[in-house]
Amino acid sequence: AGLRLEDSRSETKGLYTSHILTVLPNASLNLHLVSGQQIRFSAGRSLQRPGIWQLNPSAMLDDPFTISTGNPLLRPEYRTFAWVEYAKKLPVDFFSVRLFFEDHTDVLNTLMVQGDSTVFGIGWNNLGRISQAGAQALGTFNLGKSVSISPFLKVCYRSTTGNDLARLYQVE
């Protein structure tokens, strides 16, 4: 278990200043059961800060029809997660099953809008929330000395919610 405290300060000369204090907890637990079996749990929070090109407000002409800009007002994208997993190791095979949940807020992404009849504008923004929950299974199974298969299956429900900017452009 751990706790990280981040104090972030940034400034764009005369345009924008930001001070963000963030608490990022993290915990994990690994229980070894009998005969190669284990149950693992992990939960925490992380963030993804915008990159320098995402913050750069200068307009760039990508092609004759597209203008891209950064956004100095971007906030970090926060990611909260939790999962629990059961795993079993057999003499030469392995399989695991995991239940998971993820929630991303202030999602960093581009929004494209049509400026006039011939030019599109692409700009970086915080566009809302993405949540997903589901299950996954994976394994490695040997079918003799020279053949093995490694199946993977992930099933999840994903939900998105736009913020005020996304609703303004009816992207929800």
Side-chain angles (χ1 to χ4, degrees), residues 21 32 116 143 170:
L21 185 63
H32 291 278
D116 62 29
L143 306 174
Q170 300 172 349

Side-chain angles (χ1 to χ4, degrees), residues 82-101:
W83 55 262
V84 61
E85 178 179 75
Y86 169 79
K88 179 159 178 74
K89 184 176 184 314
L90 301 168
V92 292
D93 300 327
F94 166 83
F95 73 91
S96 71
V97 177
R98 176 183 288 196
L99 301 176
F100 63 89
F101 171 78

Side-chain angles (χ1 to χ4, degrees), residues 75 106 126-129 161-168 172:
R75 297 176 305 279
D106 283 333
N126 294 102
L127 292 178
R129 167 180 242 141
T161 306
N163 60 8
D164 291 339
L165 179 64
R167 283 190 283 281
L168 175 67
E172 192 170 24

Side-chain angles (χ1 to χ4, degrees), residues 11 28 41 47 67 82 86 92 102 105 108 110 116 120 133 137 151-153 155 161:
E11 179 180 351
S28 61
F41 166 81
L47 61 83
I67 297 174
Y86 169 79
V92 292
E102 296 176 11
T105 57
L108 294 167
T110 55
D116 62 29
F120 291 95
F152 176 81
L153 174 67
V155 178
T161 306

